[in-house]
Amino acid sequence: MFVLKDDAKKFEKGALELLKSYNLPDVVEEITVSFEKAEADEVTLSFDGKNAVIKGTIPANFYRMLCTLATHLSKSGEPLEVKESFSFSLFGNMIDCSRNSVLTVEAVKKYIRYLASFGMNMMMLYTEDTYEVENYPYFGAYRGRYTKEELKEIDDYADMFGIEVIPCIQTLAHLKTALRWPVFDSISDTDDILLVGNEDTYKFVEAEIKAISSCLRSKRVHVGMDEAQRLGLGSYLHKNGYRPQQEIILEHLTRVQKICESMGLETIIWSDMFFRVLSPTGGYYQIPEGVDTFPFDFSKKCHLTYWDYYHNDYEHYKRFLSLHLDADKDCYFAGGGWTWNGLCPSFDKAFITSKPGVKAAKAVGVPNVFCTMWQDNGAETSQSAGIPSVLYFAELGYADSDVDMDVFSDKLLFLTGLPFESYKLMGEMDNVPGRRDDRPEVTTTKYALYQDPMIGLYDAHIRGTHLTEHYTKLAKAFENLKYKNKLTQYYEELAKALTIKAELGINLTDAYKAGDKERLEKLAGEDIPLCIEHLEKARELREEIWLSESKPFGFEIIDIRFNGVIGRLCYANRRINDYIEGETDRLLELEEERIYANPYCKDEPLYVNQWDKIASACSFVGV
């Protein structure tokens, strides 16, 4: 269908790989595609019906416009003119492969094709302990860690599209799953922070960096160092006495940076631990007005990453990004795709934070920008459900004004088989009554699903919010979708289960306190079995989705959570039947007063993203 001419031929291998993955109609006439070097930031496509001329400055620009042309041709053969701009050095996506879901090599390749089609030229793989490190067999054990061969295969594939794969690891904190093993006790400060100053710590860090960087072409490595608020307060304190965290982390950064320099690598870090010293409260985003300079001198080989997925205010992003540029002219901005919002993505939150963030990054001249796809608390939301967030982020990067949502949805449909209408319903799961437009990051679906039906930890918050009606409407909407796949089927079954489960605890409590055994009998005999039926279907679909994109390790957590709900529903059924049949004269669980889990947030839905804080008020860990 496409014949690449002149300078476009250098992209032939990548173009053929993309075109194989595109669902294009058969056409009789060939279309020639040529590429010309553009002036400055210009990215254009000119198609007259037979010949296409793409102008840009990097391979990512070419692949983006090739996708734009293919998307157009899937609907029409009419002429097309597209004019965009691109001003970043690195523009990409970070995939979280540490929160139990380690994507398979084939799944990563699929995401690489997406990034190329979006016009991105960088991908970070966030791997806390999910890669092999020689002489450290417990590092990433039973977690689905990548082998060196797998990482090299990923890197080779990305290079075909001009995409740089940057390792994104941890060399200070966020290492809880690794440090759980007794073999790491000697280099542990706390249960998730390494012991600074210990020579064995730096042997380990050097082994980490050498292992991951040796598999990839990139001469950059993101070494983490974020959210280490308990730094120096564990074993370090006992060995060395109290020392200000600022001094400890600077000492550690210096050691880690020297390791990187010895390997010819540029160091990238998250900036929060350094910015917190500017705040009287220790908050990352609470820097007092009037502070307009950064107190640390970062060399050109250590670069800061400002991560912010929370604010809706353009001026806030401008100020904080300017602070970072003052310290490091080659800094990074990390926005967020909000795939860590419990069981479903929050596109509303992703869009209202990405728009001012990317716009501000352009305005102040931040050279490197990427969208994070975190998977907090067990990767309950599939990475594939978050594709719209990455595409929207990419469209912002190229747009001269607002994102054209029709073009955006057309690209989604062309690349994934689903238009935004189908994805949007997934995000609507948490768009519950009472949710504020400026604070869409709520997790009602998560606590409505996982809370125990007999205990009802969150029933006080759910009462009066009409969740049954909410999920009933969504279940019907999923049923009526024109475009469906396993992902939409999963959310349809989840919505159907929640039409019963969301208010089940309230219905059980009310019927019990009213002495309405007939109502209890219906709940136990009809509602609970139907809820279990939908949950079992949802669990099976989630398993299929997981195994289609991730290694099997980590799914046991999702399995335990779903089957825990099913098991407790079976328990509730038995308890209610015992009460109805006179085997027990009281249901003490239903007599417990339903108090607010968060008494400071009574009038709006909650953000609670820790499963253990939802499933029970009793202890899951400890003694």
Side-chain angles (χ1 to χ4, degrees), residues 203-240:
K203 289 177 184 176
F204 168 66
V205 169
E206 184 173 1
E208 275 188 295
I209 296 170
K210 182 179 179 181
I212 195 80
S213 63
S214 66
C215 303
L216 307 172
R217 291 171 172 78
S218 179
K219 290 302 179 183
R220 310 173 222 258
V221 57
H222 200 307
V223 297
M225 297 199 191
D226 58 311
E227 297 184 314
Q229 285 93 326
R230 294 188 297 144
L231 174 65
L233 300 178
S235 295
Y236 186 96
L237 182 65
H238 293 296
K239 292 176 183 291
N240 304 287

Side-chain angles (χ1 to χ4, degrees), residues 1-2 18-19 22 24 31 33 43-47 52-55 60-84 113-114 116-119 391 394-395 398 404 407-408 410-412 414-415:
M1 181 176 189
F2 292 104
L18 286 185
L19 293 171
Y22 293 165
L24 280 168
I31 294 171
V33 181
V43 181
T44 64
L45 167 65
S46 180
F47 175 59
V53 178
I54 295 172
K55 292 184 179 181
N61 302 155
F62 174 82
Y63 293 121
R64 175 178 171 84
M65 285 303 168
L66 184 66
C67 175
T68 299
L69 176 60
T71 303
H72 173 71
L73 290 171
S74 70
K75 298 178 64 179
S76 166
E78 296 297 313
L80 176 68
E81 297 288 333
V82 178
K83 183 177 180 180
E84 298 177 331
R113 291 193 296 272
Y114 282 146
S117 299
F118 298 167
L391 176 56
E395 296 301 295
Y398 280 86
D404 185 323
V407 171
F408 165 78
D410 285 345
K411 283 184 181 177
L412 272 179
F414 177 68
L415 291 168

Side-chain angles (χ1 to χ4, degrees), residues 404-437:
D404 185 323
M405 294 305 289
D406 290 332
V407 171
F408 165 78
S409 188
D410 285 345
K411 283 184 181 177
L412 272 179
L413 176 59
F414 177 68
L415 291 168
T416 72
L418 295 179
F420 187 52
E421 175 192 11
S422 299
Y423 284 103
K424 187 172 173 57
L425 278 183
M426 303 173 199
E428 289 296 304
M429 293 284 286
D430 275 330
N431 189 6
V432 295
R435 192 194 74 166
R436 285 165 36 189
D437 289 342

